[in-house]
């Protein structure tokens, strides 16, 4: 098993996290690029790591998760899917909240399977009411004792 450490993200992690996200966009044929890589980097520096609770796995960073104050997972990306990084981060978030919500694209079947395995349930779908114009699904997880 891959050894991993989860820690709170710091400002200096923004570029590494943005690189994981940018690489995912570039490697995903159905995902349109609506923001230049530099805009993604700026967003991560100014907003994502500054305004959410963000956590990273390992050094060098292999995955990250950002969580808003109301339990919304605004980002979860892994540079190496299938290595357990996403599961570790979701479990970490579950330890902080009694309920979590998130959106994922309908076309992202791997993410959908992952969230469903982790106990998330689909709550509603859209036909693409997002900046990418892609159909998506709202998922929710609630702790058993909540």
């Amino acid at each position: 098993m891959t050894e991993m450490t989860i820690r709170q993200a710091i400002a200096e992690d923004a570029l590494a996290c943005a690189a994981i996200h940018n690489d995912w966009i570039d490697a995903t044929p159905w995902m349109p690029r609506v923001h230049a890589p530099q805009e993604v980097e700026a967003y991560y520096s100014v907003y994502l790591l500054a305004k959410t609770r963000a956590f990273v796995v390992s050094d060098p960073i292999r995955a990250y998760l950002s969580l808003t104050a109301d339990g919304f997972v605004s980002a979860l990306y892994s540079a190496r899917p299938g290595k357990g990084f996403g599961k570790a981060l979701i479990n970490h978030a579950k330890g902080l909240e009694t309920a979590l919500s998130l959106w994922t694209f309908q076309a992202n079947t791997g993410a959908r399977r992952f969230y469903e395995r982790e106990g998330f349930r689909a709550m509603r779908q859209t036909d693409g009411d997002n900046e990418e114009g892609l159909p998506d699904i709202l998922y929710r997880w609630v702790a058993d004792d909540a």
Side-chain angles (χ1 to χ4, degrees):
M1 173 157 181
T2 305
E3 185 175 331
M4 61 185 94
T5 302
I6 296 175
R7 64 170 173 79
Q8 183 91 31
I10 58 174
E12 291 79 12
D13 297 329
L15 292 180
C17 293
I20 292 170
H21 187 157
N22 279 321
D23 289 348
W24 178 81
I25 292 170
D26 292 341
T28 305
W30 52 262
M31 183 66 181
R33 178 167 286 284
V34 295
H35 299 285
Q38 299 81 1
E39 291 175 307
V40 174
E41 292 170 359
Y43 175 79
Y44 275 61
S45 296
V46 173
Y47 177 77
L48 196 75
L49 296 187
K51 307 274 191 224
T52 68
R53 294 174 288 167
F55 304 94
V56 297
V57 171
S58 299
D59 285 310
I61 295 169
R62 300 287 185 222
Y64 68 93
L65 176 143
S66 68
L67 187 63
T68 64
D70 60 353
F72 186 83
V73 177
S74 57
L76 173 57
Y77 289 91
S78 175
R80 299 176 62 201
K83 301 294 183 188
F85 299 133
K87 182 174 180 56
L89 285 166
I90 280 292
N91 286 339
H92 185 77
K94 286 176 177 178
L96 300 173
E97 300 289 337
T98 58
L100 298 171
S101 297
L102 59 88
W103 288 97
T104 195
F105 296 108
Q106 289 183 32
N108 197 345
T109 55
R112 291 171 57 189
R113 283 191 303 269
F114 168 76
Y115 292 125
E116 290 166 7
R117 270 194 318 271
E118 295 305 312
F120 285 78
R121 299 291 171 249
M123 304 303 291
R124 73 181 180 101
Q125 299 183 18
T126 77
D127 290 329
D129 187 19
N130 51 56
E131 67 181 346
E132 295 86 359
L134 297 174
D136 55 3
I137 302 171
L138 176 65
Y139 278 96
R140 183 153 174 84
W141 167 86
V142 178
D144 290 336
D145 57 354

